[in-house]
Amino acid sequence: MNNIELTKKVRSAMYCQCRRRGYAAPVDVLMEIGVLSKSEYEDWRFGRIPYLESVCHINLHKLSFIMHQMRVYAKNNGLRPSFCCYKQWGVKKKNGQGRKPVIQLRFSKSHNPEVEKWYSTHFVDARRIKELKSAKESKTVESAEVTEP
C-alpha cells in the first residue's frame, strides 16, 4: 500500500469515527484500515502481547506515517487532542480486597514517551459531540413523551 492510499484510508477512518462517536482513536483507526486485527488488539489489551507495534501488519516507517497523517487530519479539521491512559483488561483484585492494580499498556518496543503519547492520544470533535448529545437528549425526551399516558 503506497502513501497516497494510506492517507486516503486514514482520512476516511478518522472522518467516520468522528461522525459516529465524536472522536477518533489511533488504535481504532489502525483496526479500521486493516493494520491491526480486533483479536490481536484484544490480546494486547489483556496483556498477552508485550507491545502493540509487534502485532501491526505494517512496518514501523508506515506506522509512523499513519500516526503523522492522523495528527495532520486532526489539525486541519480542528480536532482537539486528548490523552487517554490505556490500562490492561482482566486484572483481578488480590484476595478480592482493595483496589485493582493498574497495569499501563505499552504501544512501542522502544517505550519512547513521545511515541507512547501519540498512540494514546484521541482526537476529539467538540462540535460533533455536542450534536450527538443533543440528539440523544431529544430522543430520550421523545421516548418519554410516547410512554406517558
Side-chain angles (χ1 to χ4, degrees), residues 13 17 21 23-33 41 86 122:
Q17 286 185 30
R21 302 181 305 197
Y23 69 94
V27 291
D28 294 329
V29 170
L30 292 175
M31 284 191 284
E32 196 167 319
I33 65 175
Y41 168 74
Y86 280 79
H122 294 188

Side-chain angles (χ1 to χ4, degrees), residues 40-73:
E40 289 169 327
Y41 168 74
E42 289 171 354
D43 285 344
W44 172 70
R45 287 304 301 255
F46 281 109
R48 294 186 283 262
I49 293 171
Y51 56 95
L52 187 70
E53 287 179 344
S54 67
V55 291
C56 290
H57 307 287
I58 203 164
N59 65 40
L60 291 179
H61 180 72
K62 293 281 187 183
L63 265 176
S64 177
F65 179 78
I66 290 168
M67 298 303 291
H68 174 74
Q69 288 304 312
M70 284 188 238
R71 293 191 299 273
V72 168
Y73 179 90

Side-chain angles (χ1 to χ4, degrees), residues 41 44-45 82-89 102-107 116-117 119-122:
Y41 168 74
W44 172 70
R45 287 304 301 255
S82 174
F83 176 76
C84 179
C85 183
Y86 280 79
K87 299 172 189 169
Q88 185 175 320
W89 290 344
V102 173
I103 301 171
Q104 194 167 348
L105 293 169
R106 286 179 57 185
F107 291 92
E116 298 290 321
K117 180 185 95 171
Y119 273 111
S120 59
T121 299
H122 294 188

